Amino acid sequence: ATMLARSGLLRGSRGLTLRIVQAQTFEELRDVWAKHAPECDHIHLAAVMKALARVAKRGPVEEGVVGQVSQEVCRRIREFGIRELANVAHSAGIIRRSITGPGGVHAAAVLDAVAPVAERSLPRASAQELASLSWGFAAASIPAPQLFHQLALQVLQRLDSDKSAAGDQVGGFRDQELSMLAWSYATCGERLPGLTAGLADAAGSCTLGHQAMANMVWALGSMRAQQQAMYGLVPGASRVHHQLSPQGLANVCWGFAVVEVVDDRLFHAAAQRVIHRPRQFNCKELGGLMWSFAVVGRQLGQCPPVLGERPRPPAGPPEVERAMLRSRAMQKTPAPAPRRLPPPPVPGGVSKSGAHLVGMIPSD
């Protein structure tokens, strides 16, 4: 079908969709848009937005084309179904954070147009569509309190109506979808205690992968989830800690420490990893870990013993020494508020599975 679409033998709506999807560069996508813009319906427009997001991550794009596509999407937004709306929101979030200037403004206008239409369609949305909608607005830092409130009601209703857990799913939500939702609400600063508790309970009753675990613990810590619910995540975090990236490990330790959830085995394993492989970590990750160890030591009434079990490697990088000194200085300081950083690596669109997320750590 791809070869037929490129050769022009496959015509009609399906052929146009394939030509949009198969555009590998901005120049190819621009040519398809210039030739077929009048033929595009709402499905084609959603595909064009997704393709624009894909090429925007790779290199520069012409803001004029972004503006043309965005204006057409806004003009016809009421024709979009919930699947297309979720794809458009997700794509606009990527474009917004990838492009500065007018192109990013156009993407923000698309999200403003999506919000009221998507709000009425939430009952028909799948779990992945709910997660992608929330992620798009959070990644673009576009406030949509009414949409997020209604979306939270939908999530809670589904979690309450179906509490069955099977593997990495609970209530129809997979682990990555739960972590995307939690990350989105934490990033947007939407503090809904009922949703926080519901997501924490759901996360504790299913099997989270290491990426989902890192983002879930960071998000719940940022939203100050209840200690009891956070303790329910400790066994899962201990199970996957060796699979976590350096940033993921820092996120998990910070998320637990900020709500004063202390598990000796988990923090001991994290400290041993810092001691034996310090060059894996950058300064920000080391700062977050050292602060977390300081909080653990304060809860135990002593300096974290794991850091004193062996001398610092003589050839350790200077950032380790700075981080160690900073941890001692922070023993008596309150928990710092997490700094809002750029969003994590972008998850796949609505049609993709296994979205990759990496959360954020506090300021050092």
Side-chain angles (χ1 to χ4, degrees):
T2 301
M3 294 178 63
L4 289 173
R6 288 181 173 176
S7 65
L9 296 178
L10 183 59
R11 303 183 184 279
S13 178
R14 185 183 178 195
L16 178 54
T17 301
L18 284 172
R19 281 190 286 273
I20 295 169
V21 171
Q22 293 299 321
Q24 298 299 312
T25 64
F26 172 74
E27 290 72 23
E28 291 179 6
L29 182 61
R30 179 189 58 196
D31 293 342
V32 173
W33 173 254
K35 184 176 180 180
H36 299 283
E39 307 168 36
C40 289
D41 60 15
H42 61 287
I43 296 176
H44 298 133
L45 288 171
V48 171
M49 285 289 294
K50 189 172 182 179
L52 271 175
R54 183 176 67 249
V55 298
K57 290 189 295 182
R58 300 175 182 172
V61 298
E62 294 179 10
E63 293 179 347
V65 175
V66 176
Q68 293 173 16
V69 175
S70 299
Q71 289 173 9
E72 189 65 14
V73 169
C74 292
R75 187 177 70 86
R76 304 176 61 176
I77 195 66
R78 295 186 181 278
E79 301 175 17
F80 287 65
I82 186 59
R83 184 180 180 84
E84 291 79 32
L85 289 169
N87 271 311
V88 166
H90 182 270
S91 302
I94 299 172
I95 295 170
R96 169 73 169 173
R97 78 183 190 95
S98 300
I99 304 175
T100 57
V105 174
H106 291 310
V110 168
L111 288 166
D112 288 336
V114 166
V117 181
E119 185 181 332
R120 295 190 290 270
S121 303
L122 291 178
R124 300 190 297 275
S126 68
Q128 191 172 12
E129 288 159 0
L130 292 175
S132 291
L133 269 171
S134 65
W135 189 94
F137 283 86
S141 300
I142 300 297
Q146 185 63 27
L147 173 64
F148 270 67
H149 177 74
Q150 295 299 323
L151 196 150
L153 294 178
Q154 280 293 321
V155 173
L156 288 174
Q157 180 180 345
R158 298 183 190 195
L159 291 176
D160 290 340
S161 63
D162 183 7
K163 295 183 179 294
S164 60
D168 64 347
Q169 294 192 37
V170 57
F173 292 90
R174 294 177 301 153
D175 62 339
Q176 289 289 351
E177 292 155 1
L178 289 170
S179 67
M180 285 175 71
L181 286 163
W183 180 88
S184 300
Y185 277 84
T187 301
C188 280
E190 295 286 346
R191 298 293 186 261
L192 302 175
L195 179 66
T196 302
L199 289 173
D201 290 342
S205 62
C206 70
T207 304
L208 298 181
H210 64 281
Q211 294 170 0
M213 178 64 71
N215 286 280
M216 180 63 76
V217 174
W218 175 86
L220 293 176
S222 298
M223 294 187 287
R224 303 301 191 267
Q226 295 294 318
Q227 278 189 341
Q228 182 178 359
M230 292 294 284
Y231 271 111
L233 296 176
V234 169
S238 299
R239 175 179 54 83
V240 301
H241 75 84
H242 62 283
Q243 299 175 270
L244 294 169
S245 67
Q247 188 180 11
L249 184 65
N251 292 341
V252 166
C253 290
W254 183 88
F256 284 132
V258 78
V259 292
E260 300 183 345
V261 169
V262 177
D263 180 76
D264 291 347
R265 294 182 61 185
L266 177 61
F267 281 92
H268 178 91
Q272 289 300 309
R273 184 167 166 184
V274 173
I275 291 170
H276 290 284
R277 290 177 284 177
R279 295 184 184 275
Q280 287 187 347
F281 301 86
N282 61 33
C283 290
K284 191 177 297 296
E285 294 155 357
L286 285 168
L289 283 164
M290 293 304 109
W291 181 86
S292 302
F293 296 152
V295 171
V296 172
R298 184 171 60 191
Q299 292 298 305
L300 296 175
Q302 58 184 344
C303 183
V306 290
L307 295 180
E309 289 182 358
R310 55 176 288 183
R312 178 177 62 85
E319 58 265 26
V320 175
E321 180 68 27
R322 291 196 297 269
M324 293 287 190
L325 292 173
R326 184 162 49 245
S327 73
R328 299 189 190 104
M330 297 175 70
Q331 280 279 343
K332 299 182 180 180
T333 61
R339 183 172 63 186
R340 182 162 297 179
L341 302 176
V346 182
V350 172
S351 61
K352 302 292 184 181
S353 60
H356 175 71
L357 290 174
V358 177
M360 297 176 284
I361 62 176
S363 170
D364 58 351

